[in-house]
């Protein structure tokens, strides 16, 4: 008997169909059966780590004398109260099996979720690993034909287990110690201390205090308008050592600029430097979960957990998107080979994208297609299944089309802009810089109308004819007074982004360097905290910890 253990029922159904089974007629109580194959499933983790009081009943009582609580490794597990029936089913089949197929999600937590059950029962039978990121028949069958020894993935299990044990050990010891010391000061709430949630509370409080303690000040910008070779050229005075600047290189001495304004009016201006460059922009990368949540929050105000639930349904129920809890933005060469089928599915699911798909290039040289950058997951993209006959909600359609546009865009040409920069020298070597940006070709930006607009140009005359050495006169100067702004309070999108680059909030250089090193080879992350699967949950939890947030 070969027993498949899937992480969730929807994955078990896809596997059983891939084996040629009929999920409607062959479903039993907690499993599917076809010949000598059994496909059973979990509901996420069926086991949890034992708590300290499970090892020692004296630890039910919180006292400072009992701290620190000893870390247990290897840990012992206990059934989750809401999953004992299904756990008994899974364990029963493990005991009857000749061989086992581990079908957890393709990430460290998915590896741990099944391995912890196998370890709990002391399994010695051979185990293969099945890696599925797309629940449609074709990729499931391809995965079934390419199973690997489970031992190869044990390092990922150990990674998730180490995190789980460390979180529990530090969480229990620090939560009890901080709570007990706070009670001595009259604070009655439990102070939950966790690796991620405590960092989040700290980041929010740091930003809140910075906002509330902000002291308004002013800075200034000086613009000179020159008549050079019959062209009107408006340039911004560039900061230099003889002008008083703040820590952000902004000019802050109004009197000093008034003097410069009077001195430069009517003076000779000479083109010291003139540069014309083409700027080519590649289409945006496909999404990982955090990038998708950030974009959906900015575009429609969706909460991170809401976006996760939507994309999870598009993956599990409708099978229109690939695995959602991905931290990766790259695709394999196989996705490029299957692009025509994916594009066809998008066109049928979202007919309003049909015209855009008709304009795609037949292939792509986009940097996103690089299989060497894929580890457990690839980017979130549409599957080869179309949604004909599927009634998507407005929010599901919004997310599907957003993901689809990022895939379609990979087959569009670059957008091209021409940037002209002219440096005009005036009195005492002062430089006024004039710029002008002209979009030459829209390329992929036609898919995202309005999302990538340039700032309006200060200069309406074409600056390209100007050459180094051209001279003219400074006709007028205008000074703008600007007020410094406090750091903005976090919203869902900015907090998610902060979690992907948490190292920049760490003041200690050594600690910051350590945190950055963790994400050395992870694009888009810089000393991150949390995972794609847990970040939205941590943000939701903040809502219950308002007593720890500065107001």
């Amino acid at each position: 008997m070969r027993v498949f253990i899937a992480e969730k029922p929807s994955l078990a159904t896809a596997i059983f169909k891939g084996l040629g089974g009929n999920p409607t007629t062959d479903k039993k109580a907690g499993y599917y059966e076809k010949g000598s194959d059994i496909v059973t499933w979990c509901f996420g983790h069926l086991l949890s780590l034992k708590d300290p009081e499970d090892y020692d009943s004296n630890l039910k009582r919180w006292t400072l004398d009992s701290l620190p609580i000893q870390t247990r490794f290897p840990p012992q597990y206990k059934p989750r109260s809401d999953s004992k029936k299904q756990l008994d089913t899974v364990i029963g089949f493990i005991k009857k099996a000749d061989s086992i197929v581990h079908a957890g999600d393709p990430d460290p937590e998915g590896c741990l979720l099944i391995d912890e059950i196998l370890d709990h029962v002391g399994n010695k039978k051979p185990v293969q690993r099945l890696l599925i990121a797309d629940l449609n028949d074709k990729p499931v069958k391809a995965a079934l034909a390419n199973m690997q020894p489970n031992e190869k993935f044990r390092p990922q299990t150990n990674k998730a287990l180490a995190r789980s044990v460390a979180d529990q050990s530090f969480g229990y010891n620090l939560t009890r110690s901080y709570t007990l010391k706070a009670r001595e000061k009259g604070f009655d709430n439990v102070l939950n201390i966790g690796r991620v949630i405590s960092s989040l509370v700290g980041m929010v409080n740091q930003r809140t205090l910075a906002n509330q303690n902000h002291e308004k000040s002013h800075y200034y910008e000086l613009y000179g308008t020159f008549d050079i070779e019959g062209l009107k050229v408006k340039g911004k005075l560039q900061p230099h050592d003889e002008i008083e600047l703040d820590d952000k290189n902004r000019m802050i001495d109004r009197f000093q600029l008034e003097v410069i304004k009077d001195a430069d009016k009517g003076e000779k201006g000479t083109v010291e430097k003139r540069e014309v460059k083409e700027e080519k922009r590649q289409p945006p990368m496909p999404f990982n979960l955090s990038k998708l949540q950030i974009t959906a929050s900015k575009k429609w105000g969706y909460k991170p957990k809401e976006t996760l639930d939507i994309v999870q349904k598009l993956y599990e129920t409708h099978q229109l998107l690939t695995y959602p809890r991905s931290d990766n933005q790259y695709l394999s060469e196989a996705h490029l080979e299957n692009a025509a089928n994916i594009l066809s599915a998008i066109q049928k699911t979202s007919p309003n994208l049909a015209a855009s798909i008709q304009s795609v290039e037949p292939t792509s040289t986009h940097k996103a297609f690089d299989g060497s950058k894929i580890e457990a997951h690839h980017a979130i993209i549409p599957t080869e299944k179309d949604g004909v006959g599927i009634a998507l909600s407005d929010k599901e359609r919004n997310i599907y089309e957003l993901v689809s546009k990022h895939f379609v865009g990979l087959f569009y040409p670059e957008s091209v802009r021409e940037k002209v920069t002219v440096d005009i020298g005036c009195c005492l070597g002062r430089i006024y810089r004039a710029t002008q940006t002209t979009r030459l070709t829209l390329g992929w930006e036609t898919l995202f109308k309005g999302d990538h607009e340039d700032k309006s140009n200060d200069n309406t005359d074409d600056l390209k004819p100007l050459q180094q050495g051209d001279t003219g006169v400074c006709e007028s100067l205008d000074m703008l007074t600007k007020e410094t702004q406090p750091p903005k309070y976090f919203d869902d999108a900015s907090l998610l982004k902060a979690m992907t680059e948490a190292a920049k909030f760490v003041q200690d250089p050594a600690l910051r360097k350590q945190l950055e090193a963790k994400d050395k080879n992870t694009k888009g992350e810089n000393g991150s905290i949390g995972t794609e699967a847990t970040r939205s949950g941590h943000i939701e939890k903040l809502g219950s910890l308002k007593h720890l947030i500065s107001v």
Side-chain angles (χ1 to χ4, degrees), residues 159-179:
K159 177 181 178 180
L161 180 59
R163 178 209 52 75
S164 181
V165 171
D167 281 353
Q168 187 195 59
S169 183
F170 280 93
Y172 272 113
N173 280 294
L174 293 177
T175 295
R176 291 189 181 202
S177 59
Y178 273 76
T179 298

Side-chain angles (χ1 to χ4, degrees), residues 446-461:
T446 57
L447 285 167
F448 302 89
K449 291 176 182 176
D451 290 349
H452 300 272
E453 292 299 316
D454 298 317
K455 291 181 180 178
S456 59
N457 286 309
D458 285 333
N459 289 280
T460 54
D461 285 355

Side-chain angles (χ1 to χ4, degrees), residues 297-315:
S297 177
K298 290 179 177 178
K299 199 172 183 67
W300 300 296
Y302 296 172
K303 293 287 187 183
K305 178 66 164 58
E306 183 180 17
T307 298
L308 174 57
D309 290 344
I310 294 167
V311 73
Q312 190 77 28
K313 189 172 182 181
L314 287 166
Y315 165 67

Side-chain angles (χ1 to χ4, degrees), residues 5 46-50 55 74-80 83-84 87-88 90-92 94-95 111-124 154 157 161:
I5 308 174
L46 300 183
L47 295 169
S48 60
L49 294 175
K50 282 189 174 181
Y55 297 106
Q76 294 178 23
Y77 298 93
K78 61 182 180 181
R80 291 179 179 264
S83 58
K84 189 175 185 308
L87 177 64
D88 289 343
V90 173
I91 290 176
I94 291 174
K95 291 178 178 178
C111 290
L112 174 63
L113 192 143
I114 308 298
D115 276 342
E116 67 189 12
I117 300 175
L118 298 175
D119 292 345
H120 180 62
V121 301
N123 176 68
K124 301 295 182 184
R154 194 71 201 198
T157 296
L161 180 59

Side-chain angles (χ1 to χ4, degrees), residues 2 15 43 68 74 102 202 212 214 220 265 295 301 308 311 316 392 398 477 508 510 550:
R2 183 171 61 165
I15 292 169
F43 301 103
H102 178 321
Q212 293 175 349
H214 174 73
Y220 308 93
K265 185 175 181 181
T295 304
L308 174 57
V311 73
E316 283 192 43
L392 296 179
N398 284 343
L477 294 107
D508 184 291
S550 298

